[in-house]
Amino acid sequence: QVQLVESGGGLVQAGGSLRLSCAASTSKISISAMGWYRQAPGQQRELVARITSGGTSTYADSMKGRFTISRDNAKNTVYLQMNSLKPEDTAVYYCTALDRYFNNYWGQGTQVTVSS
C-alpha cells in the first residue's frame, strides 16, 4: 500500500498564501503521479493540480497562475504552493497518488479556510 500524509492546511486571510505538503510512504510500489483535489461542502471533489514523475504538471483553469505544484521524487513528496488565496478556495484538500498498477491512493485531507 501507499500511505499519504498531508500537512500545511490552516486559516489564512484573503490574498495570503499557504503551502501544502504530502509525503507518500511506499515500499515496493512505484508512484506514477501525484496530485491534489479539493472538495467544498455540498460540492463535488475537483482536481486542483497533478504532476507526473516526469515533471509534467496539469492545473485546473481556476487555479492556473495562482497555484504551483511541485514534486520531490527522491522523497516521494508533493507540494502545492497556493498564492493569492480567495474565500472560494476554502475546501478540504486531498492528496492523491497513482501507482503503476493503476491504483489510486488518498490522504485524509487537510482543511484550508480563507477568510474575507
Side-chain angles (χ1 to χ4, degrees):
Q1 288 187 333
V2 175
Q3 293 180 319
L4 305 175
V5 180
E6 300 129 319
S7 63
L11 175 65
V12 66
Q13 292 183 343
S17 299
L18 284 174
R19 189 191 189 207
L20 305 182
S21 299
C22 176
S25 177
T26 181
S27 179
K28 64 178 181 180
I29 301 175
S30 297
I31 297 174
S32 297
M34 299 184 72
W36 294 91
Y37 285 72
R38 71 183 186 186
Q39 187 170 21
Q43 303 204 14
Q44 296 181 352
R45 188 172 298 184
E46 64 176 343
L47 172 70
V48 177
R50 57 172 170 253
I51 186 169
T52 68
S53 60
T56 301
S57 301
T58 303
Y59 298 90
D61 288 340
S62 62
M63 271 67 79
K64 196 174 300 182
R66 298 189 298 122
F67 293 5
T68 302
I69 189 170
S70 61
R71 181 177 178 178
D72 186 336
N73 289 335
K75 298 179 179 179
N76 283 326
T77 301
V78 65
Y79 306 92
L80 184 68
Q81 179 66 46
M82 304 185 293
N83 298 324
S84 301
L85 284 165
K86 306 173 182 179
E88 48 263 45
D89 294 319
T90 296
V92 178
Y93 285 71
Y94 296 91
C95 178
T96 186
L98 177 70
D99 68 21
R100 300 189 186 277
Y101 298 96
F102 304 105
N103 295 312
N104 281 109
Y105 301 89
W106 294 90
Q108 293 185 356
T110 183
Q111 177 71 46
V112 172
T113 302
V114 184
S115 62
S116 300

